[in-house]
Amino acid sequence: MLLFFASCRSAKYLEDQQALVTDIDINGVTPELKENTQMYVANEIRPNSPLYLTIYNLFNTRDGRYKTEKIKNVGEAPRILDSAMVELSANQIQRYLQTKGYFNASVTPSITINKKKAHIDFNAVLGTPYLVNDITRTVNDPKVRELYESKVVPKSSIQRGKQYDAADFYAERENMYTQMRENGYYDYLRQYMRVGLDTLSKSFSTDIKLQISDPSDSTKHQIYTIDEVHFRIEAPEEGLKRNEAAEFDTLTQINFTDETERFKLRPLARYAYLRSGQIYNSDNEELSYDRLYETNGFRSVKINYEKKDSSKLDVYYNLIPRSAMSNQIEGEFTFSSGMSGFNIGNTFSHRNVFGGSETIEVKLRYGVLFDTRLPGNLTDKIFNNDLQFGVNLSFPRLLTPFGVRSVGRYGIPRTTFSSSLQLFFQDQTYANRYWINSLNYMWYQSSNSLHSLTPVVIEYRDGRLNDAFRQQLLEEGYQLYVESNHRQYFGLGAQYAYTFNSPKLTRKETFNYFRGGVDISGNLLGLLGNVVNFKQNESGEKLIFGVPFLQYIKGEVDYRCYKFLGGNKQFVFRFNSGVAVPYGNNSRLMIFEKSFFAGGMNGIRAWQARTLGPGGYNREVVREELRVNLRNLDQLGEIKIESNAEYRFRLLNNFFGAKLNGATFVDAGNIWNLRENTINLDGEFKFNKFLSQIAIGTGFGLRVDMDYFIIRLDAGLKVKDPQFKGKEQWVIRRLFNASEFKQVYYDAHKPDRYNFLQYNFGVGMPF
């Protein structure tokens, strides 16, 4: 608001005969047309962004006036009223309305000036819209006519009785252009399709005449075939050029030149879809562009053609590689419920390791979290430290011993070898060393179907409770918790995930999204243990390499329904559920890393992550001395049920140069344990009571859409809290007399405090 008022005061810097455009309205048009109509207002008279105008004023005003020389190129110059631009905008709006069938539309501008501030009204009179009457299509070339009638006409939006809309003709022309270019007609131009209108036959209707003409120098359109294919890797700089000789590869039938002498042809040629002997196809051209860029090895990809004779084309792929090495540093600040901290990470990348655009990444990340409620100096307030080191080697193809063909028409398939080590320390409580190695295959079955298979996951964990804390837990009766966390284990398993419609998540349309995954560990070792006499520890667990091995199965599904409501309105429903079952060698309780948690910015947003559930568990049963050390460690579960409903809408089209969207939401769900335990009292799943243990939260969110990314702030309000009993679960009743309720809660849960509101700040949509 301060920026808004500061920008409005910009009028005082203007000359007496000038006026600052502060507001524009377009009247008389339908809501469906209004947003698009605003695009035809000239940029020179659109109201300024308050932020950019204020920045401009800071650097370009002097003595109460705008500078006329030595102007700094910052911010946004004031949009001053220009009557010529107003008339131009009125004409542009009128022409746009005519393209929508309002042939008799008129637009009259009106300007109001008050204290050097101009308000512009564009008053439109639409008139009666024209409808499409008879449609005549003429194509002389028989082959083109067959293609047009079979591929284009059935999908045409031009229908008799429908209101005239020029966009329908543009769409049909573009569809015809695409079909022709995908079927070998390299020379075909959009201009070959011509449209004629006849509005004299009937009142407020028009006859349509569509004609596809032949080339001026021929009686038919020519189909082209690919002859020679040339693939060239160009040196980024002249001084890096090492070779200019071309080699012919007999397998791919490609002439290959690598000026850098760093690349191999065959790993890249599988994504060069324009090949010798094929009919020219523009779809293969686009695929080649997309996939060669997706290999992440090139900063420039160009495909050129040369006509060899009347029906043949030579193809030239020219690629410029990216820098072989790069380094990226990232950082973030975190804060929530009395805790704050930071994460800093470094990623080093080396591209084209083996000549086929492979990439190796080395990642290092460190994070620290402070709890301001702890006594002492800054170092005494450290709640936990987290250090992670990882290496990934990615191949843009499938590497298997079975010779599986790497098909990439819908996306680059990838094979990734990864290894990572995590060192986690929670103050005076817990230390964990976690090492995991995996081999992953990812491939697309269609443009909307993605498979991810990890046939091998090898992991080792060494978790250690602080001796004093461990003894305290044993004295308090938390034997099962000690057994689950103060231990070493080895894991050998596999994972699989299927995702449907992920490319549509950023689109405004109606669709369903699904992701399902399964994680299995220990089956092979379990079978082997039935044959080989493995050693056992005191608890009866079988050992391999001197430590117990994991046995569990974990599955999770995420289903979403996106409903487009027109304009910038959208409704989203989400259901997320999962179950993790430990069995065999570790059947008593799921380990920390594989358990579910509830709450957080992408879940039930009225609760902080890992502070909800399981079931009706209330931390009041934990002694005060243990609550701090057990925080975020004791509220985990093996069953998860969660649902979200969110309504999204536009608030402001221009919010400091971005778009401001809003959302209202309701979240519900919880986590549970499979069986009763001594850690989480009332935390087990029971069919006759789990519905009463569902947590409910609601709230409102703001999303700043910067086009490239979205900044999100959600405020979640607790409505029903399952840690309480009966009607006391409906904590929303306590919202307006919260002081007494919060004090009673604090006395029973020190040092935990009760917050009705939970704020979540993040980048990207929650789902």
Side-chain angles (χ1 to χ4, degrees):
M1 291 181 66
L2 289 172
L3 287 169
F4 175 77
F5 288 119
S7 65
C8 287
R9 294 183 65 229
S10 302
K12 71 179 184 178
Y13 301 119
L14 299 177
E15 302 295 334
D16 292 338
Q17 71 277 13
Q18 294 178 323
L20 180 71
V21 179
T22 58
D23 193 20
I24 289 178
D25 282 331
I26 301 176
N27 307 310
V29 298
T30 62
E32 294 78 12
L33 291 174
K34 191 163 189 176
E35 184 172 353
N36 288 336
T37 304
Q38 292 172 341
M39 298 171 57
Y40 292 88
V41 177
N43 286 327
E44 291 81 358
I45 58 171
R46 292 185 185 180
N48 289 94
S49 159
L51 173 61
Y52 297 151
L53 180 55
T54 301
I55 294 173
Y56 181 90
N57 293 343
L58 290 174
F59 293 91
N60 293 296
T61 57
R62 184 172 55 197
D63 301 329
R65 287 288 182 267
Y66 280 113
K67 293 180 182 179
T68 58
E69 57 183 6
K70 297 182 180 179
I71 297 174
K72 301 290 193 303
N73 187 24
V74 294
E76 187 177 83
R79 305 284 172 76
I80 299 172
L81 179 65
D82 185 335
S83 58
M85 290 294 104
V86 174
E87 289 295 334
L88 175 63
S89 299
N91 290 333
Q92 289 178 329
I93 294 172
Q94 181 173 305
R95 291 173 183 171
Y96 168 72
L97 295 174
Q98 290 169 351
T99 67
K100 294 299 178 181
Y102 298 99
F103 292 165
N104 299 321
S106 63
V107 179
T108 305
S110 174
I111 302 172
T112 303
I113 300 176
N114 182 26
K115 296 181 180 180
K116 296 185 181 181
K117 299 174 186 176
H119 177 99
I120 306 174
D121 284 297
F122 293 97
N123 302 304
V125 178
L126 295 178
T128 304
Y130 277 67
L131 306 180
V132 174
N133 191 27
D134 291 331
I135 306 170
T136 304
R137 292 179 167 94
T138 304
V139 185
N140 294 328
D141 189 323
K143 291 185 179 180
V144 175
R145 184 190 311 121
E146 181 183 355
L147 181 65
Y148 183 42
E149 293 177 349
S150 63
K151 299 291 187 180
V152 179
V153 175
K155 299 179 181 179
S156 176
S157 299
I158 305 171
Q159 302 293 334
R160 184 172 184 178
K162 182 181 177 182
Q163 183 174 328
Y164 174 89
D165 190 340
D168 294 337
F169 296 92
Y170 298 142
E172 181 148 335
R173 183 178 69 173
E174 194 64 27
N175 191 11
M176 184 60 185
Y177 175 77
T178 300
Q179 291 296 332
M180 291 289 283
R181 300 266 295 179
E182 288 181 357
N183 285 273
Y185 295 95
Y186 171 75
D187 277 336
Y188 182 82
L189 303 175
R190 294 177 178 87
Q191 290 80 354
Y192 286 126
M193 177 178 280
R194 299 175 182 178
V195 181
L197 306 180
D198 181 3
T199 60
L200 299 177
S201 58
K202 292 183 180 180
S203 178
F204 302 115
S205 66
T206 178
D207 292 338
I208 305 298
K209 296 181 179 180
L210 293 165
Q211 180 183 4
I212 299 178
S213 58
D214 294 327
S216 58
D217 58 348
S218 176
T219 58
K220 66 176 184 177
H221 293 269
Q222 180 64 51
I223 295 177
Y224 283 84
T225 302
I226 304 298
D227 191 17
E228 294 183 5
V229 178
H230 301 265
F231 199 99
R232 187 181 191 90
I233 309 291
E234 299 180 2
E237 300 176 11
E238 187 65 27
L240 299 176
K241 187 179 293 187
R242 299 288 183 268
N243 172 49
E244 292 190 26
E247 298 178 4
F248 182 74
D249 185 77
T250 55
L251 179 65
T252 61
Q253 297 290 297
I254 293 176
N255 297 285
F256 180 57
T257 305
D258 179 13
E259 295 182 354
T260 66
E261 294 185 339
R262 292 176 43 223
F263 289 85
K264 298 176 182 177
L265 172 63
R266 292 185 182 179
L268 300 173
R270 55 171 53 92
Y271 304 124
Y273 291 98
L274 292 162
R275 295 296 188 89
S276 178
Q278 295 179 350
I279 293 176
Y280 168 79
N281 187 332
S282 62
D283 185 42
N284 287 339
E285 178 184 329
E286 291 299 321
L287 278 173
S288 300
Y289 272 116
D290 292 343
R291 300 300 169 260
L292 289 171
Y293 271 120
E294 284 179 35
T295 61
N296 200 32
F298 305 98
R299 63 179 173 89
S300 175
V301 177
K302 294 182 180 179
I303 302 176
N304 300 314
Y305 302 91
E306 183 177 305
K307 291 183 183 179
K308 200 162 191 177
D309 55 37
S310 60
S311 63
K312 291 188 180 296
L313 292 172
D314 286 347
V315 181
Y316 294 85
Y317 293 89
N318 297 296
L319 298 86
I320 300 177
R322 299 177 64 183
S323 300
M325 291 178 282
S326 65
N327 199 70
Q328 180 177 347
I329 299 176
E330 298 175 310
E332 63 180 2
F333 178 74
T334 60
F335 60 95
S336 181
S337 300
M339 292 191 182
S340 59
F342 64 86
N343 295 304
I344 186 168
N346 187 87
T347 302
F348 170 79
S349 301
H350 192 301
R351 301 180 185 88
N352 195 44
V353 180
F354 304 114
S357 203
E358 305 84 1
T359 301
I360 187 169
E361 290 183 339
V362 180
K363 298 181 178 181
L364 180 66
R365 178 182 175 274
Y366 173 71
V368 62
L369 190 65
F370 299 93
D371 188 345
T372 57
R373 293 166 290 192
L374 295 176
N377 56 32
L378 184 63
T379 56
D380 295 326
K381 295 180 183 295
I382 295 177
F383 185 69
N384 63 46
N385 291 273
D386 187 5
L387 177 65
Q388 298 180 32
F389 174 78
V391 179
N392 295 330
L393 176 59
S394 177
F395 295 80
R397 54 194 178 275
L398 298 180
L399 298 179
T400 68
F402 314 110
V404 176
R405 185 184 173 197
S406 298
V407 178
R409 294 196 69 86
Y410 303 107
I412 287 280
R414 291 193 180 276
T415 302
T416 303
F417 299 89
S418 62
S419 178
S420 64
L421 174 67
Q422 179 186 25
L423 304 176
F424 178 84
F425 305 94
Q426 184 158 310
D427 184 50
Q428 300 180 7
T429 304
Y430 181 65
N432 186 37
R433 289 176 290 175
Y434 185 54
W435 184 43
I436 183 169
N437 308 271
S438 65
L439 164 64
N440 174 260
Y441 297 107
M442 184 201 70
W443 72 96
Y444 290 85
Q445 179 183 341
S446 68
S447 58
N448 293 323
S449 297
L450 173 64
H451 299 267
S452 175
L453 174 63
T454 308
V456 179
V457 181
I458 302 173
E459 52 190 324
Y460 171 79
R461 172 185 179 252
D462 184 0
R464 303 284 180 176
L465 293 170
N466 176 276
D467 289 340
F469 180 57
R470 174 170 168 261
Q471 187 61 38
Q472 191 178 15
L473 288 172
L474 292 173
E475 293 173 358
E476 295 287 335
Y478 288 95
Q479 176 69 31
L480 184 58
Y481 184 85
V482 172
E483 291 179 8
S484 301
N485 291 277
H486 187 78
R487 63 179 301 181
Q488 298 170 298
Y489 71 72
F490 175 83
L492 175 62
Q495 300 170 356
Y496 171 76
Y498 171 74
T499 306
F500 178 70
N501 266 347
S502 60
K504 293 186 177 182
L505 290 176
T506 57
R507 304 177 191 172
K508 292 179 181 177
E509 57 183 83
T510 298
F511 65 95
N512 294 317
Y513 167 89
F514 174 82
R515 187 182 190 280
V518 62
D519 181 0
I520 302 174
S521 181
N523 283 351
L524 182 61
L525 293 176
L527 292 173
L528 187 62
N530 295 329
V531 179
V532 179
N533 188 21
F534 284 151
K535 292 183 179 180
Q536 297 184 0
N537 61 15
E538 299 166 350
S539 301
E541 295 175 317
K542 297 177 181 179
L543 306 179
I544 184 170
F545 305 123
V547 297
F549 60 85
L550 288 178
Q551 277 189 281
Y552 69 87
I553 180 169
K554 178 181 179 181
E556 186 173 6
V557 295
D558 185 350
Y559 167 78
R560 309 174 197 173
C561 176
Y562 292 80
K563 181 69 175 178
F564 179 57
L565 303 175
N568 293 287
K569 300 184 291 293
Q570 186 183 46
F571 175 78
V572 184
F573 173 78
R574 174 179 180 247
F575 177 77
N576 179 218
S577 182
V579 60
V581 182
Y583 64 93
N585 213 39
N586 57 313
S587 59
R588 298 187 65 186
L589 192 69
M590 200 68 182
I591 61 171
F592 175 87
E593 289 83 0
K594 306 297 181 180
S595 298
F596 295 107
F597 67 88
M601 67 174 63
N602 299 318
I604 305 174
R605 284 161 280 186
W607 277 263
Q608 184 185 351
R610 295 181 175 86
T611 62
L612 172 61
Y617 171 61
N618 189 319
R619 300 193 81 228
E620 184 179 10
V621 300
V622 182
R623 245 184 348 109
E624 181 179 341
E625 291 79 5
L626 293 176
R627 286 196 196 108
V628 173
N629 291 333
L630 279 176
R631 189 188 296 133
N632 297 335
L633 299 176
D634 60 337
Q635 294 188 269
L636 304 170
E638 296 151 333
I639 298 175
K640 176 183 179 181
I641 300 176
E642 184 176 293
S643 65
N644 314 84
E646 182 168 295
Y647 174 65
R648 300 168 180 172
F649 50 91
R650 175 65 51 81
L651 287 174
L652 295 172
N653 285 317
N654 189 346
F655 179 72
F656 303 119
K659 299 178 181 65
L660 181 64
N661 298 321
T664 57
F665 56 84
V666 176
D667 304 326
N670 204 339
I671 55 171
W672 292 266
N673 289 319
L674 284 169
R675 56 185 68 87
E676 185 177 358
N677 65 62
T678 58
I679 301 174
N680 309 116
L681 300 182
D682 200 26
E684 69 276 8
F685 183 88
K686 293 183 178 180
F687 282 101
N688 62 346
K689 63 187 298 186
F690 84 95
L691 287 177
S692 66
Q693 296 173 339
I694 294 290
I696 300 175
T698 187
F700 181 81
L702 295 174
R703 287 84 193 270
V704 182
D705 187 350
M706 310 289 288
D707 290 331
Y708 299 103
F709 61 92
I710 294 174
I711 299 174
R712 172 167 57 95
L713 177 64
D714 288 334
L717 172 66
K718 294 180 177 67
V719 175
K720 179 176 177 286
D721 192 337
Q723 69 173 302
F724 303 111
K725 303 298 181 183
K727 65 179 183 180
E728 294 300 320
Q729 289 186 340
W730 297 93
V731 293
I732 190 68
R733 302 181 305 122
R734 304 283 192 173
L735 181 61
F736 298 106
N737 60 342
S739 299
E740 181 181 352
F741 173 78
K742 288 184 175 182
Q743 186 60 48
V744 172
Y745 184 88
Y746 177 72
D747 292 339
H749 297 78
K750 292 179 183 178
D752 296 347
R753 296 184 181 275
Y754 198 85
N755 296 312
F756 284 93
L757 282 171
Q758 175 65 37
Y759 299 99
N760 298 280
F761 177 81
V763 176
M765 301 297 281
F767 42 79

